[in-house]
Structures are given as structure tokens and as C-alpha cells.
Amino acid sequence: MKYSNLHKNVFLFFSSFLCCFSLYSQEITIEGTVVDENGPLPGVNIVVKGTSNGTITDFDGNFEIIADAQGTLVVSAIGFVTQEIPISGERNINISMVTDMETLSEVVVTALGISREKRSLGYATQELDGENVDRANRGNVTNAISGKIAGVQVRRNTTLGGSSNVIIRGNTSLTGDNQPLYVIDGVPVDNSNYSSGNNSYDYGNAASDINPDDIESMNVLKGAAATALYGSRAANGAIIITTKSGAGTKGIGVTINSGVTWGTIDRSTFPKFQQEYGGGYGRVNGPEGNSYFNMQDMDGDGELDLVTPFTQYGGFGAAYDPDLLVYQWSSVYPQSPNYRQPTPWIAPEYGPIEMFQDPLTFSNTVSLSGNTKGGTYRLSYSKFTQEGIVPNSNLDRNNFSLNSSFDLSEKLKASASANYSITDVQGRTEGGVGGAYTAIMTNLRQYWQPNIDFRELRELYESTEENLSQFPGGTIDNPFYVFDQNRQSDTRNRFIGNGSLEYSLLEWLSIVGRASIDTYTFLQEERQNTLIRIPSHYNRRDIFFQEVNYDLMLNYNKDLSDRFNISGVFGTNIRRTNFRSIYNSTNGGLIVEGLYAISNSLGIPPAAQEAERNIGVDGYYGLVSLGYDNMLYLDVTGRNDSSSTLPSGENSFFYPSIATSFIFSNLIDSDVLSFGKLRLNYAEVGNSAPALSLMDVLQKPTPFGSTQLYSVNNTKNNPALKPENTTSLEAGLETSFFGRRLGLNLSVYQTNTENQIMPVVISPTTGYSRRFVNAGEVQNQGVEIQLTASPIVTENFKWNTTVNWATNSSEIISLYEGVENLQLYATGSHNVTLNARVGQPYGVWYGSDFQYSNGQRIVNQITGVYEKSASSDQIIGKMLPDWNGGIDNTFIYSNFRFGFLIDFQKGGDIFSSDMAVGSRNGLYENTTGLNELGNPVRSPIENGGGILLEGVAPDGSPNTVRTSMMSRNHALGHPTAPDAMFIYDASYVKLREVILSYNLPSSLLSSTFFAGAEFSLIGSNLWIIHKNVPYADPEAGLISGNVQGHHQGVYPATRDLGFNVRLQF
Amino acid sequence: MKNKLVKTILILILGIFSSCTSDDLTSLNRDTKNATVADARTFFSYAQKALADNMHGVAYRATGPGVTKMWVQHITAVTYLEGATYIPEFSWAPLYRDVLKNLDESASIISQTETSNDSEDTNKLAMIEILKVYTYAALVEAYGDIPYSEALDFNNATPQFDDAQVVYLDLIDRLTTAISILDTGSAGFGAADLIYNGDIENWVKFGNSLKLRMGLRIIDALPEAGAKAVSEAVPNVITTNGENAVFEYLVDYPNTNPWWSFLVRQRLEYYVGTNTFIEKLNKFNDPRRAVFFTPVEGEFVGAEYGVVQNYHSYSREGEWLRKPDLAAIFIDKAQVEFLLAEAAERGIGGVTDPEAHYNVAIRASFEYYGIEDQVDEYLAQPSVDYSTAEGPWQKKIGIQKWIALFDQGFEAWTEYRRLGYPQLSAPEVAESDIVPLRFLYPIGEQTLNEANYQEAAAAIGGDSYSTRLFWDVD
């Protein structure tokens, strides 16, 4: 039996301590200097081997250490080869460090799967290793980047399997896709979002099929120069994913990675409903119209009884009073224990939070990898199962993957990878207001009665399985009925694979042929048992997607002289994308209840809606990279695309890029500066139109009986579209100091996207709502900073920290001729819209604003409410943040590893329909409590109730007019208050990730058949340290895409705590 | 051997590339699932339905003509008061984009297609023209100045607004021409005509009735032009309920009446009758109240307009309005006869005997609802009898017309604005001190067509509810 390292260290620590006393005679003081080729080296670690006794060299490279005369010094510094120097009784030791070429020539995977030395790149990339991807982010791989990569903004939806929105360096396209391109092992993979709108289910983004456990590394290519070889589709940046392979495995390696995660609702992201007043619209009921309650003789005693106004959604009913006995909602149902029973008028013991469950997530991966003669392979199977926070919702994903490569001959190498995934989800929740105002969370946050007890609601549903509504006679369904009986489900079967052959023609020249495919079928089924507003219903959408890429590349890499090197690629890419879908639905109910099939439609089902879109792009490209003396690099690329989606004869376009890097540290002799590089690049990227945007087609409404209808499409297409064009200019500085203990990576950039192809909203007086045009220019400018530091490095303890920070500011330079504003989104029941306005950043909220006098809000001196601007086109907020970033810390002590990530965002605005309407209906605490006079705000003004809004009279004098809070149309709710009242700053600081892991020491494992064992405790989203939007996660949204920051029935976020075991054999 | 393998593979790869590049790339960009052309009839049918849906739609918010059912205080919302209290959210997209654009498309297909039957085409074009006039007239009556001469052209994203009066007179001229070219000896759209099933004679009557209405609408502002239109129209107007211009919905969703979708399909408990209206019906013992509303404990009870109330305490829509195939009325005999009564009072168009027309109008309304057996008793009441009813002719006609135009909110509201009866007032808490005299321009125009919007707002005297439109002479 051997001691664990921990035990050994503790033992050694004490023993060395004891040595000072008992074995003093053997200790000597050693002095010395550490140098590298440029001179003295500060910050070098010197540790006496086998002890925790260590020191660090000073600015002149000098050190002093007490050690056993027969001991050994371990000398290490980042970027240098670690050395062990026997002391052998020497009291003066000078050490010469050797540059570790492996770390300096760090290789990264760039566009088209080309591996490049990082130092030679003239553009910014930032890498994330697999360790960082697969621990805490198993649901959706895109979330792994959050806070870890400067200049990337990730916004995740809080629903099960919901989509994540990833924006790199700002929104460049006004109305098009702004998401980056995802590439796995050279295969571009689809990341479509299939939500049919904000009022439906969020079907997630397709990149979530990627299994985080299979990822070796993710490299984020940020600018157009980095992605120039991919052309148009990577104009928003690219995320290059390399999967794990068998390379480097000795023999056969088996890894088992198992985790379980327990989620709990983060209560700060869920409303605190007021606990003082029950349901109703105020004193409008009863025979005289002056009672909070309906009055009916319920027990037949001839006297009128109090009855909750069942169909009034809101919390302006009577104040709770346990002495009041009221016939409440459940008293009308014979199935309820309270049938025909009045119950005390009190706040419910179990509020809406009772609706949720604590979701469990299980994740298991088994992988087998290895090397055989001339080949490597990795085989893995992964199962991921996640529960949602509402009943009957879960996500199940199975991934099978194979990655292999073999040398067929000395010159010919074949490699292939295949990944098959099956993702099944059921019970996604409806977003927005739902298909027919049926979305539960919207009803709960905006239209509810505070007196409803959720335990009672659940029990009544569970005992009857009927839609016994908490609003008898109303239009809102029992949420437990909806969760249980409305089984949305979807399943996606996906294959991603490629095969390639590489043949070395010459030592410096090889040819690669590669065929790759990404294809899936996606079945979405929505089932609805009879709801109050709609009869039972079934619809299905069958989607088929396929993208095939053929690449032929000639790679070359030749040293022209001792100092000159030329390398690069010439290639061609053929891409064919095929999308087909068909949508069918029932009409007017189902014949046999519970049978969800189109043929079971009560009415004649509407005609199926079919779609087919094919895209073809043929591209030719070249990269010439010149290197001089490992110091100066120049990349020139050019690509020509012919696209099927542009007019014939004008569908070919060329775009170039040029990037340089200069490693100036090679010229500077400095102790402080370890590495220094300047980058500069310029790139142009062309982009073609979406499929089918040239020709007009007709809309096909449901026939009117036997009369056929056609109508002109609301969008006017344009047969004369030209490619759009993005130009980007980027400069950067990469430096590291003190033996690479401190690093700074800085980028500044400007991107202009012109001639945007977009469906501009035009006045309907033109006969159309939108028109496809080439117009508009958006400019994005930004700064990204990445700071890395290793403040403490000893043999046993390391502290690494990375700070990412980025700011991006966008400006709409121009829009369509004569048009100053482009509406991106309308929120629906409010006059609040999201817009791109000339001279403003992308995405400004329009709505009614307060009126101001000398910066003070003006209060109407008759009604006491805030004066609103006359028009709704006031800018009341902006969607995008000012800056965001993250601080990632890792502490390694012996075999323990502790890390935490804090990420943050400053600025950005949310418009909350939930707060606007929920406040209106008196559901929250802002409509209750006592006013500054100490009286209930709900009391009549004449009794000292109401509130006095902070603000001024139109003449500038302080406001003295109180306003009533007795009914739904009050000063703090929509639509009486200006829309600006419901704009919230989306800033946040979150403790995103905390990880504590322990690796069993190899000494302990050597006698077992384990090659490695790691245990981790992982916390995700544990704490929203700071936020401004009440009752919701500022990141919550409707779906991914260009429209973010509208809160309409958003689900609460969860705090996730997980335990993970990774075993290697 | 090995070299052979390599060569085979390379040839295979190159083969893939050459085969892929040979096809014509842009041929991929074809929509194989949607039509690019369709028969002119399909657009005409669609436009008729879109017009009925929009003019008679139900909206608790003030998005379009549907809200006028509340503004004229036949009904009121009891919970969601946005529309009832005039919070503006107007859109004219349904009328311009769905109705006018599709009428335009239908006409342009007919004009471009060579057919053997010119007079049939002429009839179709005339029918399209009549519906266009109907739609534009409603837009002018709702908003005032509107995009007209430059409208419906996607190449002009910012059409100018034309003067309401100029537009209206042009519309009357276009209507006159359209009526004159209708040839009753030829066919029209046939079954694709969802209003008259292709009956050209009825289209002549619809055209003239519309012209009569438009003539009287401007009679106070432009007496000569108004009287001329009335004179020309009078001889050939709708004379029976069978000739009414109505859009008959079907029993199957989604081709059902919007009311049914709202009240029955979605079970929304939003509206009840107002006390203003129901008290009037009660006062006249009007048997139509049992058609319009359901009693509460045997009584017809209306709610105060524009305040939050308990839905179940008041009379809500009757079974008549809850039929899925309830027809939407564009113009009917009752309205025509009230217009003739007014022409008689004004002594124009050679029309005489206002009382006779007044009685025929009320009879027509009763007949429409299938209760003509009760009409004599009704007319015999002094409060209804034309000779003894209260007030000047404007009031006598105005009140009875207001009742007869139930469920035709837009017409009821427009006639209320023109005749000044009944006298209605705005609710205490509302966006306007008076019942609005017009719609506010759609919010989108403030940003999409800003300069022209500003100019038009200035030209009509401000984009506000209290701006009187040119024909609405106080």
C-alpha cells in the first residue's frame, strides 16, 4: 500500500519542518542565476524535488534556496523545458533555460481543418480545450463558450432543450443569420433554429446534437480574415470543433465518464407574487357592482354568499381575511373536497413555484480508443438524459461516434469519422403567449389570481385527469392538465460524417480529397387535448436536411531557404444543401379523443404545406502563406464562389483577404517580455441570398369551401439581387511577460457589412409588408482583451486565471433608400418594437417614453400618472450590451483542482411584457404594501391610499397628486404607464461554473487496472450575483436569433449541481 | 498495385468534382412547391374574404374597423378596455395589402390575358373596381388623407398621401364608370364571386347603393357633387334583402365568421351590450334585442361603456351572432332605405316621402332577422312612428339607423359621426375626450413613411381623434 500524494506531501511537509531542527547540518543555502538565450529570467520556479520548499527568481534572475546538499532542484517556467538539477553539494548554481518549442509552436486548427502554428496567424483565434467543454455544459455545447472567449456573447434560453444564441463580434447582418458556422472535423454542420415563431415551442438549435464528451478542442475564429477560406457562410465567425481521436493512446484505452446533475429553481428568476390580495378586478361585482366578490346563494339558505370572481384574471380582489368564507374556484367541482364548501380567504400555502420539479440530468459516455499499426481509432457511445422543470418533460440524446485514420501506404492516408445521434424530446413548453394564449408561463406571470393554491390544483388534476380550470368559465386551462395532456414531442436522427484521403505527392506537397455529409430527419409533433379555447389538435412537421461537401485541396509547405518558408493550400469546394419539409394538421378537433393522427381529424384537414429549398455553391480558393525567419508572416487568401441563389450570370463573386503577423519579441532583448506579436489583417467576404428570394410565389390560403383562393405574397422578392459584402479590418497584439507568467492578447476590429440582402419592412400601402433588397450598411467596432496570468506556480500548487473582456458597438450607417428605420420585431400586444435605426446601434427598443422636464419625469396633475410621449417611436432602450466578459480561475493543488468562472455583461435592455401586464393585473408586490403615509396603497385616495409618483408637475414643481392603485388600469402597469417603465437593464454578474475535482494519484492506481480516475463536483449557474430585471433571468429569451431581450412568459433558470466520475482503463 | 489503387481513388475524386460542376447551378433555386401564377378569380375571391374579415372582424384592441362595434357603443368590453378606451394600435395592412393588392393582381391578370370574351372581362374588371372603391372609401372615411395615387407600388416605398376630398371625388367617378360598363348580358366571376355568385344585376345595384351612400356622405361638405351622385344612383339601388351585398361565411373553421371564432371557438367572455344601446332597445320594446342579446334573469341589461365589469351580470351576444356562418354585411336594403329617407328629407335625387322609406328600412331590418311579423306593432309606437318620434329627422333616422346597423360597426360609427345621433360620450378614462372622429394613422407609418406621414397629419389638422374629416361638417 502506498500513500496518496496528499498524504505524502503532508508527511514531507512535516518531515522537512522537523529537518530544520534535527537534521540542520545537512542543509545548505544555494544561490544562483537563471538565464535564457536573452539573459536573466525572472519568475522561474525553483523547487526542491520531493518537497514543497520552493522559490521564484527575482527580476535579475537570481534566487536563493535552502536545500539538502544531496537533493535535486526542479526548475520550471512556462514556455521552457523543465529541468532537474542535482545539487551535489554545490552552493552556487547557474541555470540556463531552454525554450520549449512545443509550447511556442502551439498548433491550432484553422479554417478548412488546416493546422497552423498559432504564432504565424495574422488574426485572432481563441481555443478552448475539451476539459473546458464537457464538464458543466452537457446540454448544449454552445453554452460552453460563455464567458470563456473574449468577444463572444452567448445567451441561452431557460426552457428544456431551448436554443442558445451565439454572437461573435456583434450582429453584422440586419435581418439574416448572425450565428457562427459550426465545423466538426472539417464538416460544416447545420445549426438551424426550427422554432416557428415566438409564440410556439423552442425546438433548440441543431448544434446541440454535438456530444460535448467527444470534443477534443474548440477553436473560435472570430473575424472575417480567420474564416476567409470558408467564405460567406462563416462571415459571423466560426467555431471549429476537433473531436477526440485515438492518437496518443497507448494500447487500448477505455474511458467511462458518468455524471448526474441536480437542478433547482433559482427563485430570483421567478416572480414573488403578492400575498395580500386575492383574485378579481376590484369592486365591480355583486348586485350593486360594488363588491370584490360575486354574490350568489350557493348553499340554498336564501342568503347571498361570497364567490370568487372566477373569470377575472388579476389580483385586485379583496384583501385576505381568514374570517371571510368564500366559495372559491374548487368549490364548483364535485370532484373537489371543497365542493360547495366555502373556504377561508387567505393567501395560498403553496404558490406557483410548486408547479416545478427539480430536474435530474444523467450523462454517461463510454469510449474506446487506441493505436494499431499505422492507424488510430476512437469509438464512443454517449447517453444524455435530462428532465425539464415542468412535469412530463425530458430530453434524451444518444450519440455514437467513430473516428479513425489509417495509413494505407507510406504516402496515402485515409481517415473517416462518423457520428450518429438520436435526440428525443418531449414536453417542450410553449413560449410567448402560446398558440392561442395557452402558454402557461405567460398566463401565470401576466394573468392569474394570487389566491389559487397549486397543491390543490395539482391534486385535483391528478385525481381526475380532467381540465378542471382554476378559472371556472374562464379561458385559462389547468396547467397540470396542459403539461400532462399536451404532449409535444420531437425526434431528430442525424448523421455527420466524412471520409478523406491524403496523398503525399512530394515531401512538401500533398493532395487531400474529402467528402462529408451532415444529414438529419426531424419530426416535430404537437398534440393538444381539448383546451378551453381550442378543440383537440394534432400537427406534425417532417423535416429533411442534407448538406454534402466535396473538397479537393492541394497542400504545400516548403522551405525556400533557411529563412523563407512558403505554405498554403489551393482547393475547390462543392456544396449542395437540400431542405424539405411537410406540415400537416388536423382541423376542428379529433374524432377519437387521444388518437393523435392526421386521419383522425374531425374536419377535413387543411392541405399539407410543403417546402423545398436547394442551395448549391461552387467555390475555388487559395491560401499563400509566407514566413520569414519564424518572425514575419504574410497570408493572402482569395475565394471565388458561384451561388445558386443569385441571378444567373451574376452569381459569381470573388473576395480576398490579407493577414500579417510580426513577432517583434524576436528583435527585442528583454527580461520582461517573453513573447510579442503584432497582427494586422484585412478581409472581404461576399455573401449570397437566401434560397428562393429572387422569384415571387403566391400564398395559398385554405380554400373557401369549394372556392380556391390564392393571394399575393406579403414579401416582394427581387430578381436583381447582388451579393452582399463584408469588409473587416483587425489589428492585434499578443504578448507574454515574465517567462509567460502573464499574457495579454488584444484585438481591435471594424467590420462593415454593405449591400445587405434583406426583406425590409415597407409600408403596407405598397401592397406588401416586406421587400427583398440589397441595401443598408452596418458597422461593428470592438475591442477584445484576454489576460492570462499564473500568479502562483509551485510544484504542488498552481493558480491560473484568465480574464476575457470585450466590447462591441454597432451602428446602422444606412438602410433602404429613404428609409430611416427597419423594424426587426413587434412585441405583439404592446406598441413596443425592436428596430434598426440609422445612426443608432443595432436593435433599439421603440415605445412610449416618459415625458421629462429638466430630467424629471412629468406627472399628470389630474390623474397622478406619468405623462406618456404622444408617439410610440421613442427610443427607450437598446438590445445589445455595452460589454461582456468572464473571469476564469483554476487552482491546482496536488491532485485537487478547483476552478470557478464568473461571467458578466454590462448593459443591454430587456422589454418585459411579463412585468408590464403582470403589474397591471396586480400580481406582484409593486401594487401592494403601504405607501409613504403608512396606509395601504390599495386604499382609496380619500382614505390616504394610492401612491405618489416621483416626478414633477409640468411646471417643474414637485408632484403632489396621488394616483389610485385600486384597479387594473393603474400608474404602474401597461398600458397606463409609458412602455419605458418596463425596460430593464440586462446587466448581470453570474457565478457560472464552479468545479472541484480530484484525480486519484497514479501511484495509487498503479496496482489497479485503472489508468486514471477523476471525481468532480460541478456547479453551474449557482448564483446570479447581480441583475436588474426582477423575477427573471436576464439571459432568458424566446428563441435564438436576432431578436433577444423580450420577456414574455419566460421560464425560471435552474441552479445545477453535479457529480461526475471519469475512469480510464 | 498500390499505385493503381491511388490512381483509381484520385480519378474517382476528380470524377465527383467534374460531375457536380457541370449542372446549371441557378436551376437549383426553383420553388418546386409554390405557385407563381394563378387564375385571376382566386385573387378576387381572396380579396372579398379579406375585406369581410377586416371590416367585420372582432378586435378588443383598436387595430382596425372591428373596434368600431364598441366605439358606437352597441357593445363594450368588460375586461380588456384597450379598444373601448381608444388606445391606438391601428393597421391598414389588411385593407391595402390583402384586399387592394389582390384586387389589383386580379385586374392585372385579366388585363394581360387574351380571352375570347371581352365583355366578361370587362364585367370582372368593373366588379374589381367597385370593391376597390368600397375599400378606399372606407379608408378615407376612417383616416382622412391616405396614400392613393402612389399606393400599391413596391418601387415606391414612401407613397405620398392624397387629399381625402380629392380621393373621394375620384372614387365616385371611378364607381360611375364601373357601373356604366357592367354588362348584365354577360357573365362575371361566376362562383368565384363570393358576394353575388356572379349575378351582374346585383353588382349594378351594389354599385349604385354604394354610390348613394358616398353621395350622401359628402352632402354637407360638397352639396352639388353629393346630390349629383345621389340622383344618378337612386333609380337602381338595392330593393330587397335578397339583393344585399353580404359575405356569407361557412360553417367550417377557418372559413367561419370572426365572431364565432372569438365567442364560440375560443369562448372569450369579453363583450356585453352597453346600457346606452340596450336601454334604447328596451325603451322601444324592440324585438331585435332578443336577436342581438341574451337576457340575464329575463331582462336585457346593458353595461356601462368602457369600464371594468363582471361579464356575467350583463346581456351578451345572442345566438344570431354565435352562428359560424353569420354573414358580414357590406350594404343592405335597410341602410339604402334610410339613405333614401334622408335624400327625401333633403329633397335631392327626386326622392320623396321620407316616412315611407323610413318604414321600409325598419321593415327590411326586421325581415332580415326573420321577425317581420312584429314590425307593425313596433312601427305603431309613437316613439318609433316617424311623425311622432322625437327630434329632427337627423335624430329619427340616426337612432333607428344606429339600431339597424348593429353588427355593422364601421357604418354605424360613420353615420353617427355624420348625423350626430345618437349622442354618445367617451368613457371617463380614455385616450380621447370624445368618441373618436377618425382612426389614428397606423404606428408603422410614423417610421416607415415618416415625411409623408408628417405632411398628411399637418394637412388634415393633426393626427388626432378630434380631427374632423372633410365630409364631417359640424
Side-chain angles (χ1 to χ4, degrees), chain A residues 281 285 294 475 501 532-533 576 587 610 612 642 644 692 698 703 705 712 716 763 765 769 831 920 968, chain B residues 9 20 25 29 32-33 35 79 82 88 92 97 102 152 154 159 250 253 255 265-268 310 445:
Chain A
Y281 287 156
N285 303 309
N294 279 333
T475 56
L501 284 173
I532 294 167
R533 286 186 178 191
R576 295 290 180 272
N587 181 22
E610 294 173 81
E612 177 166 17
S642 301
S644 66
L692 309 179
L698 302 172
V712 177
K716 177 71 188 166
S763 166
T765 60
S769 296
N831 277 330
R920 174 192 197 180
R968 297 168 62 253
Chain B
I9 289 164
C20 284
L25 210 52
N29 200 27
T32 56
K33 296 295 180 187
T79 305
E82 283 90 333
W92 55 26
R97 187 193 61 201
N102 282 296
L152 305 181
F154 68 86
L250 305 178
Y253 184 79
N255 292 314
R265 186 167 180 266
Q266 296 197 54
R267 305 184 203 187
L268 295 179
N310 184 353
E445 301 297 324

Side-chain angles (χ1 to χ4, degrees), chain A residues 599-882:
Chain A
S599 58
N600 192 37
S601 175
L602 199 59
I604 295 166
Q609 294 167 26
E610 294 173 81
E612 177 166 17
R613 290 193 292 275
N614 292 301
I615 297 175
V617 178
D618 293 345
Y620 302 92
Y621 53 82
L623 157 70
V624 177
S625 180
L626 294 167
Y628 173 73
D629 203 14
N630 287 330
M631 184 176 76
L632 202 57
Y633 297 90
L634 174 70
D635 279 12
V636 179
T637 72
R639 180 169 170 132
N640 191 83
D641 279 340
S642 301
S643 168
S644 66
T645 61
L646 289 167
S648 181
E650 289 166 48
N651 61 334
S652 175
F653 48 100
F654 176 81
Y655 41 92
S657 83
I658 181 163
T660 62
S661 68
F662 169 43
I663 298 166
F664 61 87
S665 55
N666 285 8
L667 299 179
I668 300 170
D669 197 5
S670 160
D671 302 336
V672 177
L673 183 72
S674 317
F675 178 74
K677 176 172 114 175
L678 271 174
R679 293 182 266 114
L680 190 65
N681 69 62
Y682 169 81
E684 289 181 17
V685 181
N687 200 355
S688 58
L692 309 179
S693 44
L694 303 180
M695 291 288 293
D696 287 327
V697 293
L698 302 172
Q699 285 175 343
K700 179 75 188 74
T702 303
F704 190 79
S706 57
T707 306
Q708 290 303 329
L709 308 180
Y710 265 110
S711 103
V712 177
N713 209 310
N714 292 344
T715 300
K716 177 71 188 166
N717 283 342
N718 187 341
L721 290 179
K722 297 188 291 284
E724 61 181 42
N725 191 39
T726 301
T727 56
S728 97
L729 192 62
E730 176 190 345
L733 177 69
E734 278 173 47
T735 51
S736 60
F737 304 93
F738 310 119
R740 298 190 167 241
R741 293 281 288 271
L742 186 67
L744 172 71
N745 193 341
L746 177 83
S747 300
V748 293
Y749 61 86
Q750 176 176 317
T751 306
N752 290 64
T753 307
E754 294 168 285
N755 266 338
Q756 301 215 0
I757 296 170
M758 56 179 178
V760 291
V761 176
I762 52 176
S763 166
T765 60
T766 60
Y768 296 92
S769 296
R770 290 164 193 280
R771 183 182 183 210
F772 259 101
V773 293
N774 275 110
E777 180 179 355
V778 178
Q779 177 173 295
N780 278 276
Q781 292 173 319
V783 179
E784 291 157 3
I785 295 171
Q786 187 196 358
L787 203 64
T788 52
S790 306
I792 299 174
V793 180
T794 68
E795 192 196 15
N796 285 318
F797 185 73
K798 273 188 207 154
W799 172 24
N800 293 324
T801 181
T802 305
V803 179
N804 291 302
W805 184 89
T807 178
N808 180 77
S809 65
S810 60
E811 186 187 341
I812 311 299
I813 306 284
S814 65
L815 289 169
Y816 185 48
E817 51 203 272
V819 174
E820 288 290 292
N821 186 62
L822 171 66
Q823 186 176 307
L824 303 172
Y825 172 69
T827 56
S829 57
H830 316 274
N831 277 330
V832 178
T833 56
L834 196 61
N835 301 271
R837 185 174 184 88
V838 174
Q840 293 290 331
Y842 182 83
V844 285
W845 288 110
Y846 273 17
S848 57
D849 200 355
F850 296 95
Q851 293 210 40
Y852 292 96
S853 164
N854 290 326
Q856 305 260 38
R857 292 171 178 178
I858 297 174
V859 178
N860 184 301
Q861 293 300 293
I862 294 159
T863 59
V865 306
Y866 285 122
E867 290 283 10
K868 279 200 284 193
S869 59
S871 66
S872 291
D873 58 355
Q874 305 295 307
I875 294 175
I876 55 176
K878 68 182 180 62
M879 177 179 82
L880 296 171
D882 300 325

Side-chain angles (χ1 to χ4, degrees), chain A residues 273-275 277-280 308-315 320 328-330 344-355 443-444 447-458 460 468-472 476-480 923:
Chain A
F273 292 89
Q274 55 93 355
Q275 300 284 313
Y277 300 88
T308 319
F310 299 135
T311 59
Q312 299 181 358
Y313 311 131
Y320 290 126
Q328 301 199 42
W329 66 274
S330 57
W345 188 240
I346 51 172
E349 188 180 352
Y350 298 101
I353 196 101
E354 295 294 318
M355 193 168 77
N443 288 336
L444 194 58
Y447 308 93
W448 204 250
Q449 286 193 351
N451 49 290
I452 293 160
D453 187 298
F454 270 69
R455 181 77 48 111
E456 189 182 4
L457 199 56
R458 180 200 294 270
L460 195 55
L468 301 181
S469 169
Q470 57 288 356
F471 300 100
I476 299 181
D477 304 277
N478 183 316
F480 296 102
L923 303 185

Side-chain angles (χ1 to χ4, degrees), chain A residues 149-166:
Chain A
I149 308 275
V152 180
Q153 203 207 345
V154 181
R155 202 158 183 167
R156 60 182 89 185
N157 200 351
T158 42
T159 54
L160 174 74
S163 51
S164 293
N165 192 54
V166 178

Side-chain angles (χ1 to χ4, degrees), chain B residues 377-430:
Chain B
E377 194 183 333
Y378 181 74
L379 287 172
Q381 299 179 96
S383 56
V384 177
D385 188 311
Y386 195 71
S387 55
T388 53
E390 202 183 305
W393 66 262
Q394 286 90 342
K395 184 172 184 183
K396 295 177 191 184
I397 294 176
I399 297 288
Q400 283 300 330
K401 196 172 194 173
W402 179 53
I403 298 170
L405 286 173
F406 182 74
D407 198 36
Q408 298 179 56
F410 189 77
E411 278 307 312
W413 173 56
T414 300
E415 291 299 82
Y416 151 78
R417 288 182 290 164
R418 192 173 65 86
L419 296 173
Y421 291 97
Q423 287 165 328
L424 303 173
S425 53
E428 198 174 326
V429 179

Side-chain angles (χ1 to χ4, degrees), chain A residues 204-480:
Chain A
N205 49 324
S208 63
D209 289 340
I210 302 165
N211 177 18
D213 260 352
D214 287 340
I215 293 176
E216 174 75 31
S217 70
M218 282 172 99
N219 192 30
V220 179
L221 307 181
K222 295 174 188 172
T227 61
L229 288 180
Y230 280 118
S232 53
R233 45 196 331 217
N236 308 313
I239 295 177
I240 309 295
I241 294 170
T242 306
T243 61
K244 289 172 182 161
S245 72
T249 316
K250 283 177 191 151
I252 300 175
V254 178
T255 304
I256 294 175
N257 194 5
S258 277
V260 58
T261 303
W262 173 58
T264 51
I265 304 294
D266 182 339
R267 292 201 178 210
S268 75
T269 61
F270 192 69
K272 265 174 99 173
F273 292 89
Q274 55 93 355
Q275 300 284 313
E276 295 180 53
Y277 300 88
Y281 287 156
R283 300 181 61 158
V284 297
N285 303 309
E288 310 295 322
N290 62 358
S291 164
Y292 285 111
F293 295 101
N294 279 333
M295 312 281 269
Q296 268 171 281
D297 181 10
M298 300 293 283
D299 51 11
D301 66 355
E303 305 246 321
L304 292 179
D305 300 303
L306 299 179
V307 182
T308 319
F310 299 135
T311 59
Q312 299 181 358
Y313 311 131
F316 279 104
Y320 290 126
D321 176 356
D323 296 334
L324 276 184
L325 288 177
V326 179
Y327 287 87
Q328 301 199 42
W329 66 274
S330 57
S331 70
V332 307
Y333 298 116
Q335 299 95 324
S336 165
N338 291 332
Y339 181 53
R340 291 190 176 157
Q341 296 292 322
T343 43
W345 188 240
I346 51 172
E349 188 180 352
Y350 298 101
I353 196 101
E354 295 294 318
M355 193 168 77
F356 303 111
Q357 59 185 24
D358 292 346
L360 286 177
T361 302
F362 297 93
S363 163
N364 289 290
T365 299
V366 184
S367 70
L368 188 73
S369 61
N371 274 302
T372 62
K373 221 180 278 173
T376 66
Y377 61 89
R378 181 175 184 272
L379 201 61
S380 83
Y381 166 70
S382 188
K383 184 173 178 65
F384 175 80
T385 310
Q386 184 176 22
E387 286 178 334
I389 57 172
V390 300
N392 293 307
S393 59
N394 55 65
L395 181 153
D396 191 72
R397 193 178 63 221
N398 289 278
N399 284 75
F400 305 85
S401 81
L402 171 68
N403 203 347
S404 66
S405 74
F406 290 94
D407 297 330
L408 297 180
S409 76
E410 267 177 34
K411 292 188 164 181
L412 186 65
K413 182 181 171 185
S415 44
S417 75
N419 187 305
Y420 189 74
S421 63
I422 307 165
T423 308
D424 290 306
V425 185
Q426 79 160 357
R428 290 183 197 265
T429 47
E430 272 191 302
V433 297
Y437 292 87
T438 43
I440 287 157
M441 195 52 62
T442 301
N443 288 336
L444 194 58
R445 284 179 180 263
Q446 300 183 15
Y447 308 93
W448 204 250
Q449 286 193 351
N451 49 290
I452 293 160
D453 187 298
F454 270 69
R455 181 77 48 111
E456 189 182 4
L457 199 56
R458 180 200 294 270
E459 282 167 1
L460 195 55
Y461 170 70
E462 285 174 351
S463 62
T464 62
E465 298 199 347
E466 286 176 51
N467 189 8
L468 301 181
S469 169
Q470 57 288 356
F471 300 100
T475 56
I476 299 181
D477 304 277
N478 183 316
F480 296 102

